[in-house]
């Protein structure tokens, strides 16, 4: 009888432990709450609101100089300054799946938890990358050079790839 009771208790505990597979966080009161997926966040936001932007400054060589901003509706504004395929002001559009992938990269690499600056003031010949993110009700600006966390490099490389692979139409 005791063995059966213990077995039933263990089985019921294992089911309740596996019941909720969603990500959860604690709110300010210490209560657990589910965190929406990147897809849900992207779909809930105001379309005209800035989601993410990346800006790369120059160096003493031929480093690409550009800025790209992406809104939650997928609209893109690209300003190419030097050493890029498109120089000038352009607009384009990315798919919702690209927005979701950016959100997943922000989540998986814990970008919103990172410091705001990764710069080496003694090095003057490196391009600076400024990443601005508006995600999950938080805004974050990160300025980095070569010594950035790997997760930030992954996000910035993805954004750079996006900037190189979208169809752009000249505005100015």
């Amino acid at each position: 009888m005791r063995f059966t009771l213990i077995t039933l208790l263990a089985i019921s505990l294992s089911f309740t432990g596996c019941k909720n597979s969603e990500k959860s966080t604690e709110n300010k009161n210490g209560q657990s709450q589910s965190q929406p997926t990147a897809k849900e966040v992207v779909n809930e936001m105001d379309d005209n609101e800035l989601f993410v932007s990346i800006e790369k400054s120059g160096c003493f060589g031929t480093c690409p100089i550009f800025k790209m901003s992406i809104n939650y509706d997928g609209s893109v504004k690209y300003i190419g300054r030097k050493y890029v395929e498109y120089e000038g002001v352009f607009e384009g559009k990315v798919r919702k799946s690209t927005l979701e992938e950016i959100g997943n990269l922000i989540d998986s690499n814990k970008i919103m938890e990172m410091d705001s600056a990764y710069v080496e003031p003694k090095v003057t010949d490196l391009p600076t990358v400024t990443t601005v993110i508006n995600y999950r009700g938080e805004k974050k600006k990160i300025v980095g050079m070569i010594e950035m966390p790997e997760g930030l490099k992954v996000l910035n490389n993805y954004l750079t790839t996006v900037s190189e692979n979208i169809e752009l139409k000249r505005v100015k």
Side-chain angles (χ1 to χ4, degrees):
M1 177 72 175
R2 187 179 283 183
F3 176 75
T4 307
L5 186 59
I6 291 172
T7 305
L8 288 174
L9 181 61
I11 291 171
S12 67
L13 286 175
S14 69
F15 282 121
T16 57
C18 297
K19 191 175 189 179
N20 189 358
S21 63
E22 294 178 355
K23 293 180 181 178
S24 64
T25 57
E26 289 187 5
N27 63 16
K28 293 178 183 173
N29 298 328
Q31 298 170 330
S32 181
Q33 60 188 27
S34 293
Q35 187 176 26
T37 64
K39 182 176 184 174
E40 292 167 335
V41 172
V42 166
N43 288 328
E44 291 172 3
M45 295 302 293
D46 177 11
D47 284 349
N48 295 320
E49 194 166 358
L50 174 70
F51 176 28
V52 65
S53 72
I54 182 170
E55 183 171 9
K56 290 191 173 186
S57 72
C59 62
F60 292 143
T62 58
C63 300
I65 304 171
F66 72 92
K67 180 176 182 178
M68 179 183 70
S69 301
I70 303 174
N71 289 350
Y72 275 98
D73 66 352
S75 62
V76 174
K77 183 175 183 181
Y78 178 90
I79 303 169
R81 293 193 172 90
K82 264 187 165 180
Y83 309 114
V84 290
E85 184 176 347
Y86 298 102
E87 288 188 16
V89 180
F90 297 83
E91 290 180 346
K93 189 116 175 135
V94 295
R95 295 185 172 132
K96 284 281 187 186
S97 59
T98 301
L99 301 175
E100 293 165 14
E101 181 61 26
I102 293 168
N104 288 330
L105 287 171
I106 292 168
D107 286 336
S108 65
N109 291 297
K110 298 182 179 163
I111 302 293
M112 301 306 277
E113 298 173 19
M114 291 184 180
D115 292 336
S116 295
Y118 298 95
V119 294
E120 179 56 56
K122 295 177 184 174
V123 181
T124 58
D125 186 32
L126 293 176
T128 301
V129 181
T130 303
T131 311
V132 177
I133 303 165
N134 176 20
Y135 187 65
R136 297 191 183 278
E138 294 180 56
K139 292 184 180 175
K140 181 91 175 178
K141 179 179 178 180
I142 305 173
V143 179
M145 292 173 91
I146 193 132
E147 295 298 325
M148 295 182 278
E150 191 59 34
L152 184 58
K153 289 179 186 177
V154 168
L155 175 64
N156 287 338
N157 287 339
Y158 184 79
L159 293 173
T160 300
T161 300
V162 167
S163 76
E164 295 168 347
N165 293 306
I166 57 174
E167 188 175 320
L168 296 170
K169 295 180 184 174
R170 183 177 292 278
V171 178
K172 291 183 186 177

